[in-house]
Amino acid sequence: MNVQMLLAGFGGQGILFMGKVAAATAMIDGKHVSWLPSYGPEMRGGTANCSVCIDEREIGCPIVLAPNLFVAFNRPSFEKFISAVQPDGTVFVDSSLVDLPCPREDVHFCTIPATVMAQQNGLNGLANMLMLGYLTKVSGFTSIQTLFQAVNDTVPSSKVQMLKKNLKAVALGYEFTG
């Protein structure tokens, strides 16, 4: 599977970390990968998006202009990028934060109330990991075992106290049946 993933939202929502974990899965799976963060100068609260390319072949361009997997954590990101998604691509939306229907009939539209689920489960700030678990289940871009290993490998030692919560969030997202 050639993955052209675009993750978008506000700074502080864990968009870049989510992309880092997705990129780590590709390295574990022995695939070529690129991870390209992009964020406004204001960082937290400003716009943030991240391009992740995963392929069996070398990646020529790390910029995702036409994603086949798109995640929106806020309304401005959804409105900005929805038209760029490839036909037959899959759009993932945090329905806790984006209350718009999908304006396209040629894409798969998946919603999960990731922010609310995180709050209800004592996982504040981990909606990104819930979303990544759900995205993995729906898209199959990697296995859940590889995703767990990538989380283990990516959570920095300075935040080791967050490892179990990150793994729990991934599992909750993966189990979501919405």
Side-chain angles (χ1 to χ4, degrees), residues 110-139:
C110 302
T111 62
I112 180 173
T115 298
V116 167
M117 286 175 66
Q119 291 167 346
Q120 290 173 341
N121 287 279
L123 301 169
N124 291 346
L126 295 176
N128 60 335
M129 293 292 97
L130 268 146
M131 181 66 80
L132 190 54
Y134 183 52
L135 183 147
T136 300
K137 176 183 177 180
V138 172
S139 72

Side-chain angles (χ1 to χ4, degrees), residues 1-7 19 22-23 25-26 29 31-35 50-57 59 61-70 86 90 92 132 135 139-142:
M1 176 182 198
N2 174 17
V3 175
Q4 298 286 308
M5 188 183 302
L6 180 63
L7 314 171
T25 67
D29 287 338
K31 297 182 179 175
H32 294 277
V33 62
S34 68
W35 173 78
C50 181
S51 294
V52 179
C53 302
I54 301 171
D55 204 333
E56 298 289 333
R57 299 171 305 188
I59 295 164
C61 179
I63 300 169
V64 174
L65 299 175
N68 55 16
L69 297 176
F70 169 55
Q86 294 177 24
T90 307
F92 297 85
L132 190 54
L135 183 147
S139 72
F141 84 94
T142 193

Side-chain angles (χ1 to χ4, degrees), residues 58-82:
E58 288 186 20
I59 295 164
C61 179
I63 300 169
V64 174
L65 299 175
N68 55 16
L69 297 176
F70 169 55
V71 175
F73 275 99
N74 63 19
R75 188 178 183 143
S77 295
F78 179 76
E79 291 172 333
K80 180 176 180 178
F81 295 114
I82 187 64

